[in-house]
mmCIF file of all heavy atoms in Angstrom:
data_model
loop_
_atom_site.group_PDB
_atom_site.id
_atom_site.type_symbol
_atom_site.label_atom_id
_atom_site.label_comp_id
_atom_site.label_asym_id
_atom_site.label_seq_id
_atom_site.Cartn_x
_atom_site.Cartn_y
_atom_site.Cartn_z
ATOM 1 N N ILE A 1 98.586 44.393 79.847
ATOM 2 C CA ILE A 1 98.073 44.832 78.577
ATOM 3 C C ILE A 1 97.695 46.298 78.722
ATOM 4 O O ILE A 1 97.058 46.718 79.707
ATOM 5 C CB ILE A 1 96.804 44.033 78.170
ATOM 6 C CG1 ILE A 1 97.157 42.596 77.921
ATOM 7 C CG2 ILE A 1 96.108 44.674 76.948
ATOM 8 C CD1 ILE A 1 97.987 42.298 76.675
ATOM 9 N N VAL A 2 98.059 47.111 77.716
ATOM 10 C CA VAL A 2 97.593 48.500 77.628
ATOM 11 C C VAL A 2 96.797 48.585 76.333
ATOM 12 O O VAL A 2 97.302 48.173 75.262
ATOM 13 C CB VAL A 2 98.778 49.500 77.627
ATOM 14 C CG1 VAL A 2 98.265 50.901 77.429
ATOM 15 C CG2 VAL A 2 99.585 49.369 78.912
ATOM 16 N N ALA A 3 95.575 49.057 76.404
ATOM 17 C CA ALA A 3 94.715 49.106 75.226
ATOM 18 C C ALA A 3 94.133 50.504 75.046
ATOM 19 O O ALA A 3 93.928 51.235 76.003
ATOM 20 C CB ALA A 3 93.571 48.080 75.388
ATOM 21 N N LEU A 4 93.857 50.828 73.813
ATOM 22 C CA LEU A 4 93.194 52.077 73.459
ATOM 23 C C LEU A 4 91.891 51.739 72.748
ATOM 24 O O LEU A 4 91.925 51.086 71.705
ATOM 25 C CB LEU A 4 94.065 52.928 72.577
ATOM 26 C CG LEU A 4 93.403 54.201 71.995
ATOM 27 C CD1 LEU A 4 92.953 55.128 73.096
ATOM 28 C CD2 LEU A 4 94.306 54.886 71.027
ATOM 29 N N ASP A 5 90.776 52.166 73.316
ATOM 30 C CA ASP A 5 89.489 51.981 72.684
ATOM 31 C C ASP A 5 89.193 53.260 71.938
ATOM 32 O O ASP A 5 88.863 54.318 72.520
ATOM 33 C CB ASP A 5 88.427 51.728 73.721
ATOM 34 C CG ASP A 5 87.034 51.588 73.147
ATOM 35 O OD1 ASP A 5 86.894 51.683 71.906
ATOM 36 O OD2 ASP A 5 86.087 51.349 73.941
ATOM 37 N N GLY A 6 89.351 53.231 70.605
ATOM 38 C CA GLY A 6 89.147 54.419 69.782
ATOM 39 C C GLY A 6 87.719 54.877 69.699
ATOM 40 O O GLY A 6 87.432 56.038 69.379
ATOM 41 N N ARG A 7 86.769 54.001 69.990
ATOM 42 C CA ARG A 7 85.355 54.413 69.991
ATOM 43 C C ARG A 7 85.081 55.408 71.085
ATOM 44 O O ARG A 7 84.250 56.286 70.949
ATOM 45 C CB ARG A 7 84.426 53.215 70.159
ATOM 46 C CG ARG A 7 84.359 52.314 68.977
ATOM 47 C CD ARG A 7 83.309 51.230 69.295
ATOM 48 N NE ARG A 7 83.257 50.213 68.224
ATOM 49 C CZ ARG A 7 82.515 49.130 68.316
ATOM 50 N NH1 ARG A 7 81.757 48.899 69.351
ATOM 51 N NH2 ARG A 7 82.535 48.256 67.291
ATOM 52 N N GLN A 8 85.737 55.164 72.220
ATOM 53 C CA GLN A 8 85.466 55.995 73.397
ATOM 54 C C GLN A 8 86.639 56.857 73.809
ATOM 55 O O GLN A 8 86.568 57.544 74.844
ATOM 56 C CB GLN A 8 85.084 55.095 74.603
ATOM 57 C CG GLN A 8 83.900 54.180 74.317
ATOM 58 C CD GLN A 8 83.604 53.298 75.479
ATOM 59 O OE1 GLN A 8 83.361 53.781 76.590
ATOM 60 N NE2 GLN A 8 83.625 52.008 75.277
ATOM 61 N N ASP A 9 87.718 56.866 73.033
ATOM 62 C CA ASP A 9 88.933 57.552 73.393
ATOM 63 C C ASP A 9 89.323 57.225 74.857
ATOM 64 O O ASP A 9 89.515 58.113 75.664
ATOM 65 C CB ASP A 9 88.815 59.062 73.200
ATOM 66 C CG ASP A 9 88.702 59.434 71.756
ATOM 67 O OD1 ASP A 9 89.319 58.759 70.922
ATOM 68 O OD2 ASP A 9 87.994 60.421 71.440
ATOM 69 N N LEU A 10 89.414 55.950 75.106
ATOM 70 C CA LEU A 10 89.647 55.466 76.470
ATOM 71 C C LEU A 10 90.848 54.540 76.500
ATOM 72 O O LEU A 10 90.959 53.613 75.666
ATOM 73 C CB LEU A 10 88.392 54.708 76.932
ATOM 74 C CG LEU A 10 88.370 54.110 78.336
ATOM 75 C CD1 LEU A 10 88.336 55.242 79.356
ATOM 76 C CD2 LEU A 10 87.121 53.253 78.487
ATOM 77 N N TYR A 11 91.781 54.783 77.466
ATOM 78 C CA TYR A 11 92.877 53.842 77.697
ATOM 79 C C TYR A 11 92.464 52.850 78.753
ATOM 80 O O TYR A 11 91.798 53.196 79.721
ATOM 81 C CB TYR A 11 94.115 54.607 78.183
ATOM 82 C CG TYR A 11 94.887 55.313 77.112
ATOM 83 C CD1 TYR A 11 94.734 56.667 76.932
ATOM 84 C CD2 TYR A 11 95.746 54.614 76.290
ATOM 85 C CE1 TYR A 11 95.435 57.330 75.910
ATOM 86 C CE2 TYR A 11 96.452 55.249 75.286
ATOM 87 C CZ TYR A 11 96.279 56.610 75.126
ATOM 88 O OH TYR A 11 96.953 57.247 74.103
ATOM 89 N N LEU A 12 92.841 51.612 78.527
ATOM 90 C CA LEU A 12 92.543 50.541 79.452
ATOM 91 C C LEU A 12 93.810 49.813 79.808
ATOM 92 O O LEU A 12 94.727 49.765 79.015
ATOM 93 C CB LEU A 12 91.570 49.530 78.800
ATOM 94 C CG LEU A 12 90.285 50.126 78.212
ATOM 95 C CD1 LEU A 12 89.681 49.137 77.213
ATOM 96 C CD2 LEU A 12 89.314 50.434 79.327
ATOM 97 N N GLY A 13 93.848 49.246 80.997
ATOM 98 C CA GLY A 13 95.002 48.477 81.390
ATOM 99 C C GLY A 13 94.582 47.250 82.183
ATOM 100 O O GLY A 13 93.538 47.231 82.799
ATOM 101 N N THR A 14 95.393 46.221 82.119
ATOM 102 C CA THR A 14 95.116 45.020 82.881
ATOM 103 C C THR A 14 96.342 44.660 83.739
ATOM 104 O O THR A 14 97.445 45.118 83.466
ATOM 105 C CB THR A 14 94.858 43.792 81.962
ATOM 106 O OG1 THR A 14 96.078 43.454 81.310
ATOM 107 C CG2 THR A 14 93.800 44.096 80.957
ATOM 108 N N ASN A 15 96.105 43.829 84.707
ATOM 109 C CA ASN A 15 97.237 43.270 85.445
ATOM 110 C C ASN A 15 97.682 41.980 84.754
ATOM 111 O O ASN A 15 97.209 41.659 83.646
ATOM 112 C CB ASN A 15 96.833 43.004 86.906
ATOM 113 C CG ASN A 15 95.651 42.068 87.035
ATOM 114 O OD1 ASN A 15 95.303 41.314 86.122
ATOM 115 N ND2 ASN A 15 95.035 42.045 88.194
ATOM 116 N N HIS A 16 98.535 41.234 85.376
ATOM 117 C CA HIS A 16 99.103 40.012 84.744
ATOM 118 C C HIS A 16 98.011 38.984 84.416
ATOM 119 O O HIS A 16 97.975 38.430 83.326
ATOM 120 C CB HIS A 16 100.188 39.433 85.653
ATOM 121 C CG HIS A 16 100.856 38.223 85.075
ATOM 122 N ND1 HIS A 16 101.554 38.252 83.889
ATOM 123 C CD2 HIS A 16 100.946 36.941 85.521
ATOM 124 C CE1 HIS A 16 102.051 37.054 83.626
ATOM 125 N NE2 HIS A 16 101.720 36.267 84.631
ATOM 126 N N SER A 17 97.131 38.705 85.356
ATOM 127 C CA SER A 17 96.083 37.714 85.089
ATOM 128 C C SER A 17 95.123 38.218 84.002
ATOM 129 O O SER A 17 94.694 37.468 83.146
ATOM 130 C CB SER A 17 95.332 37.319 86.348
ATOM 131 O OG SER A 17 94.735 38.439 86.948
ATOM 132 N N GLY A 18 94.820 39.519 84.045
ATOM 133 C CA GLY A 18 93.958 40.096 83.005
ATOM 134 C C GLY A 18 94.599 40.017 81.656
ATOM 135 O O GLY A 18 93.922 39.810 80.655
ATOM 136 N N ALA A 19 95.900 40.156 81.582
ATOM 137 C CA ALA A 19 96.618 40.045 80.318
ATOM 138 C C ALA A 19 96.504 38.641 79.738
ATOM 139 O O ALA A 19 96.351 38.476 78.530
ATOM 140 C CB ALA A 19 98.102 40.422 80.476
ATOM 141 N N GLN A 20 96.536 37.632 80.608
ATOM 142 C CA GLN A 20 96.355 36.252 80.134
ATOM 143 C C GLN A 20 94.952 36.079 79.532
ATOM 144 O O GLN A 20 94.817 35.495 78.461
ATOM 145 C CB GLN A 20 96.539 35.277 81.295
ATOM 146 C CG GLN A 20 97.899 35.261 81.912
ATOM 147 C CD GLN A 20 98.946 34.681 80.983
ATOM 148 O OE1 GLN A 20 98.686 33.715 80.264
ATOM 149 N NE2 GLN A 20 100.123 35.228 80.956
ATOM 150 N N LEU A 21 93.981 36.611 80.204
ATOM 151 C CA LEU A 21 92.594 36.511 79.727
ATOM 152 C C LEU A 21 92.398 37.306 78.445
ATOM 153 O O LEU A 21 91.770 36.850 77.502
ATOM 154 C CB LEU A 21 91.607 36.990 80.784
ATOM 155 C CG LEU A 21 91.578 36.194 82.095
ATOM 156 C CD1 LEU A 21 90.685 36.865 83.108
ATOM 157 C CD2 LEU A 21 91.172 34.774 81.847
ATOM 158 N N TRP A 22 92.994 38.479 78.374
ATOM 159 C CA TRP A 22 92.879 39.359 77.199
ATOM 160 C C TRP A 22 93.421 38.669 75.965
ATOM 161 O O TRP A 22 92.772 38.625 74.935
ATOM 162 C CB TRP A 22 93.648 40.663 77.464
ATOM 163 C CG TRP A 22 93.488 41.687 76.364
ATOM 164 C CD1 TRP A 22 94.133 41.739 75.191
ATOM 165 C CD2 TRP A 22 92.611 42.799 76.412
ATOM 166 N NE1 TRP A 22 93.728 42.845 74.474
ATOM 167 C CE2 TRP A 22 92.788 43.511 75.182
ATOM 168 C CE3 TRP A 22 91.725 43.322 77.337
ATOM 169 C CZ2 TRP A 22 92.122 44.669 74.864
ATOM 170 C CZ3 TRP A 22 91.042 44.487 77.025
ATOM 171 C CH2 TRP A 22 91.226 45.144 75.806
ATOM 172 N N ARG A 23 94.617 38.065 76.075
ATOM 173 C CA ARG A 23 95.211 37.379 74.938
ATOM 174 C C ARG A 23 94.341 36.186 74.483
ATOM 175 O O ARG A 23 94.202 35.931 73.294
ATOM 176 C CB ARG A 23 96.624 36.917 75.265
ATOM 177 C CG ARG A 23 97.615 38.075 75.284
ATOM 178 C CD ARG A 23 99.032 37.625 75.201
ATOM 179 N NE ARG A 23 99.924 37.477 76.303
ATOM 180 C CZ ARG A 23 100.013 38.239 77.414
ATOM 181 N NH1 ARG A 23 99.172 39.184 77.627
ATOM 182 N NH2 ARG A 23 100.925 38.032 78.293
ATOM 183 N N ALA A 24 93.786 35.471 75.445
ATOM 184 C CA ALA A 24 92.913 34.352 75.116
ATOM 185 C C ALA A 24 91.648 34.862 74.379
ATOM 186 O O ALA A 24 91.227 34.271 73.417
ATOM 187 C CB ALA A 24 92.535 33.574 76.371
ATOM 188 N N LEU A 25 91.101 35.961 74.833
ATOM 189 C CA LEU A 25 89.924 36.532 74.217
ATOM 190 C C LEU A 25 90.216 37.115 72.850
ATOM 191 O O LEU A 25 89.369 37.163 71.977
ATOM 192 C CB LEU A 25 89.308 37.619 75.113
ATOM 193 C CG LEU A 25 88.650 37.104 76.366
ATOM 194 C CD1 LEU A 25 88.359 38.272 77.327
ATOM 195 C CD2 LEU A 25 87.340 36.380 76.018
ATOM 196 N N ASP A 26 91.435 37.520 72.646
ATOM 197 C CA ASP A 26 91.825 38.021 71.319
ATOM 198 C C ASP A 26 91.727 36.898 70.283
ATOM 199 O O ASP A 26 91.384 37.118 69.140
ATOM 200 C CB ASP A 26 93.234 38.598 71.353
ATOM 201 C CG ASP A 26 93.631 39.246 70.028
ATOM 202 O OD1 ASP A 26 92.879 40.076 69.517
ATOM 203 O OD2 ASP A 26 94.729 38.919 69.515
ATOM 204 N N ASN A 27 92.024 35.682 70.724
ATOM 205 C CA ASN A 27 91.937 34.488 69.835
ATOM 206 C C ASN A 27 90.549 33.862 69.847
ATOM 207 O O ASN A 27 90.253 33.015 68.992
ATOM 208 C CB ASN A 27 92.997 33.464 70.236
ATOM 209 C CG ASN A 27 94.394 33.950 70.020
ATOM 210 O OD1 ASN A 27 94.679 34.542 68.955
ATOM 211 N ND2 ASN A 27 95.264 33.765 70.969
ATOM 212 N N GLY A 28 89.767 34.206 70.837
ATOM 213 C CA GLY A 28 88.457 33.612 71.004
ATOM 214 C C GLY A 28 88.521 32.498 72.051
ATOM 215 O O GLY A 28 89.349 31.584 71.912
ATOM 216 N N ALA A 29 87.693 32.582 73.072
ATOM 217 C CA ALA A 29 87.728 31.585 74.142
ATOM 218 C C ALA A 29 86.357 31.551 74.818
ATOM 219 O O ALA A 29 85.623 32.556 74.825
ATOM 220 C CB ALA A 29 88.765 31.942 75.181
ATOM 221 N N THR A 30 86.021 30.411 75.368
ATOM 222 C CA THR A 30 84.809 30.293 76.176
ATOM 223 C C THR A 30 85.118 30.664 77.609
ATOM 224 O O THR A 30 86.284 30.705 78.023
ATOM 225 C CB THR A 30 84.264 28.844 76.131
ATOM 226 O OG1 THR A 30 85.207 27.991 76.778
ATOM 227 C CG2 THR A 30 83.983 28.387 74.720
ATOM 228 N N ARG A 31 84.066 30.897 78.354
ATOM 229 C CA ARG A 31 84.237 31.195 79.797
ATOM 230 C C ARG A 31 84.974 30.044 80.478
ATOM 231 O O ARG A 31 85.886 30.285 81.292
ATOM 232 C CB ARG A 31 82.867 31.428 80.391
ATOM 233 C CG ARG A 31 82.908 31.718 81.905
ATOM 234 C CD ARG A 31 81.496 31.944 82.449
ATOM 235 N NE ARG A 31 81.528 32.094 83.878
ATOM 236 C CZ ARG A 31 81.492 31.058 84.733
ATOM 237 N NH1 ARG A 31 81.411 29.795 84.318
ATOM 238 N NH2 ARG A 31 81.544 31.287 86.039
ATOM 239 N N SER A 32 84.589 28.809 80.153
ATOM 240 C CA SER A 32 85.260 27.655 80.784
ATOM 241 C C SER A 32 86.740 27.605 80.467
ATOM 242 O O SER A 32 87.543 27.270 81.326
ATOM 243 C CB SER A 32 84.568 26.358 80.329
ATOM 244 O OG SER A 32 83.259 26.299 80.773
ATOM 245 N N GLN A 33 87.065 27.904 79.231
ATOM 246 C CA GLN A 33 88.502 27.914 78.864
ATOM 247 C C GLN A 33 89.266 28.998 79.616
ATOM 248 O O GLN A 33 90.409 28.782 80.030
ATOM 249 C CB GLN A 33 88.652 28.137 77.351
ATOM 250 C CG GLN A 33 88.194 26.981 76.529
ATOM 251 C CD GLN A 33 88.112 27.289 75.044
ATOM 252 O OE1 GLN A 33 87.836 28.427 74.638
ATOM 253 N NE2 GLN A 33 88.361 26.277 74.228
ATOM 254 N N LEU A 34 88.609 30.140 79.839
ATOM 255 C CA LEU A 34 89.275 31.224 80.594
ATOM 256 C C LEU A 34 89.502 30.804 82.030
ATOM 257 O O LEU A 34 90.584 31.087 82.630
ATOM 258 C CB LEU A 34 88.458 32.480 80.511
ATOM 259 C CG LEU A 34 88.292 33.103 79.118
ATOM 260 C CD1 LEU A 34 87.311 34.258 79.182
ATOM 261 C CD2 LEU A 34 89.635 33.528 78.518
ATOM 262 N N ILE A 35 88.529 30.133 82.627
ATOM 263 C CA ILE A 35 88.671 29.666 83.999
ATOM 264 C C ILE A 35 89.782 28.666 84.106
ATOM 265 O O ILE A 35 90.651 28.748 84.980
ATOM 266 C CB ILE A 35 87.328 29.082 84.489
ATOM 267 C CG1 ILE A 35 86.276 30.171 84.648
ATOM 268 C CG2 ILE A 35 87.534 28.334 85.826
ATOM 269 C CD1 ILE A 35 84.868 29.684 84.826
ATOM 270 N N GLU A 36 89.807 27.732 83.155
ATOM 271 C CA GLU A 36 90.885 26.720 83.124
ATOM 272 C C GLU A 36 92.244 27.387 82.982
ATOM 273 O O GLU A 36 93.237 26.976 83.619
ATOM 274 C CB GLU A 36 90.641 25.740 82.000
ATOM 275 C CG GLU A 36 91.591 24.602 81.978
ATOM 276 C CD GLU A 36 91.258 23.594 80.866
ATOM 277 O OE1 GLU A 36 90.095 23.472 80.449
ATOM 278 O OE2 GLU A 36 92.195 22.933 80.421
ATOM 279 N N LEU A 37 92.330 28.419 82.147
ATOM 280 C CA LEU A 37 93.576 29.149 81.951
ATOM 281 C C LEU A 37 94.101 29.729 83.249
ATOM 282 O O LEU A 37 95.281 29.578 83.629
ATOM 283 C CB LEU A 37 93.381 30.272 80.941
ATOM 284 C CG LEU A 37 94.551 31.208 80.687
ATOM 285 C CD1 LEU A 37 95.747 30.447 80.080
ATOM 286 C CD2 LEU A 37 94.144 32.346 79.787
ATOM 287 N N LEU A 38 93.216 30.370 84.035
ATOM 288 C CA LEU A 38 93.649 30.945 85.320
ATOM 289 C C LEU A 38 94.033 29.846 86.329
ATOM 290 O O LEU A 38 95.026 30.006 87.043
ATOM 291 C CB LEU A 38 92.542 31.823 85.894
ATOM 292 C CG LEU A 38 92.263 33.128 85.215
ATOM 293 C CD1 LEU A 38 91.287 33.960 86.026
ATOM 294 C CD2 LEU A 38 93.538 33.912 84.941
ATOM 295 N N VAL A 39 93.263 28.778 86.365
ATOM 296 C CA VAL A 39 93.593 27.666 87.302
ATOM 297 C C VAL A 39 94.957 27.123 86.977
ATOM 298 O O VAL A 39 95.792 26.931 87.888
ATOM 299 C CB VAL A 39 92.474 26.592 87.229
ATOM 300 C CG1 VAL A 39 92.954 25.305 87.956
ATOM 301 C CG2 VAL A 39 91.149 27.082 87.811
ATOM 302 N N ASP A 40 95.217 26.841 85.676
ATOM 303 C CA ASP A 40 96.490 26.267 85.290
ATOM 304 C C ASP A 40 97.641 27.231 85.429
ATOM 305 O O ASP A 40 98.738 26.824 85.838
ATOM 306 C CB ASP A 40 96.410 25.771 83.835
ATOM 307 C CG ASP A 40 95.466 24.600 83.658
ATOM 308 O OD1 ASP A 40 95.056 23.986 84.657
ATOM 309 O OD2 ASP A 40 95.103 24.327 82.484
ATOM 310 N N THR A 41 97.442 28.507 85.086
ATOM 311 C CA THR A 41 98.545 29.446 85.085
ATOM 312 C C THR A 41 98.919 29.934 86.471
ATOM 313 O O THR A 41 100.087 30.095 86.787
ATOM 314 C CB THR A 41 98.159 30.696 84.185
ATOM 315 O OG1 THR A 41 97.860 30.250 82.891
ATOM 316 C CG2 THR A 41 99.319 31.682 84.127
#
């Protein structure tokens, strides 16, 4: 994931596992769901 935070004029990047978490957070997820996502993926 490559992201631009317009509030801070900051570019952000994630690795593959971070991208999985990012997409889940975009839809809304609990901490437990994120952990399960990494375990399963």
Side-chain angles (χ1 to χ4, degrees):
I1 296 290
V2 176
L4 172 62
D5 179 0
R7 288 184 186 174
Q8 302 178 59
D9 292 328
L10 181 68
Y11 282 100
L12 307 161
T14 69
N15 60 17
H16 183 60
S17 60
Q20 296 291 322
L21 297 174
W22 186 281
R23 286 197 260 324
L25 289 166
D26 186 51
N27 293 316
T30 65
R31 179 179 174 274
S32 296
Q33 289 170 330
L34 296 173
I35 292 167
E36 185 177 333
L37 174 65
L38 290 188
V39 168
D40 293 345
T41 303

